[in-house]
Amino acid sequence: MDGAEEWVQIESPCANVGNVSLQRLLELLGDMVCGGAVIVGDHVHVRSSMPLDDMNVAEFERPLQLVTFTADRLERDLIGGDRY
């Protein structure tokens, strides 16, 4: 990226890296519309990014819901509950 535009990043933790199969996590993310998984410290996060130019609130709300709902679903499927 050349830094010519500002971006916003949405992310939500979903598991401790040492407590899940990263292969299984990535397989479960296969149906996600946008974003992906990253490791931040000891945790796996679901993350999505989008440019801020001309963005309105409605364009932000749906990706926010997708990221947080996906992270919650992964927590439930991988560790059996909501810890994050």
Side-chain angles (χ1 to χ4, degrees), residues 6 8 10 50-64:
E6 291 185 75
V8 64
I10 303 166
M50 63 205 76
L52 284 174
D53 287 349
D54 300 323
M55 178 185 286
N56 64 47
V57 172
E59 293 171 319
F60 179 78
E61 287 176 344
R62 186 62 181 140
L64 176 64

Side-chain angles (χ1 to χ4, degrees), residues 11-16 38 40 43-47 67-68 70-72 74-75 82-84:
E11 67 181 66
S12 182
C14 63
N16 185 290
V38 297
V40 178
H43 295 91
V44 178
H45 289 230
V46 176
R47 178 187 289 173
V67 167
T68 57
T70 299
D72 286 343
L74 287 170
E75 281 183 83
D82 187 6
R83 295 186 191 162
Y84 303 99

Side-chain angles (χ1 to χ4, degrees), residues 15-82:
N16 185 290
V17 172
N19 295 337
V20 296
S21 161
L22 295 179
Q23 178 173 340
R24 179 69 181 133
L25 182 138
L26 293 174
E27 290 169 353
L28 290 170
L29 278 174
D31 64 349
M32 187 173 173
V33 175
C34 61
V38 297
I39 295 174
V40 178
D42 293 336
H43 295 91
V44 178
H45 289 230
V46 176
R47 178 187 289 173
S48 189
S49 302
M50 63 205 76
L52 284 174
D53 287 349
D54 300 323
M55 178 185 286
N56 64 47
V57 172
E59 293 171 319
F60 179 78
E61 287 176 344
R62 186 62 181 140
L64 176 64
Q65 290 173 344
L66 286 172
V67 167
T68 57
F69 291 162
T70 299
D72 286 343
R73 186 190 81 214
L74 287 170
E75 281 183 83
R76 183 188 67 238
D77 293 350
L78 295 169
I79 62 175
D82 187 6

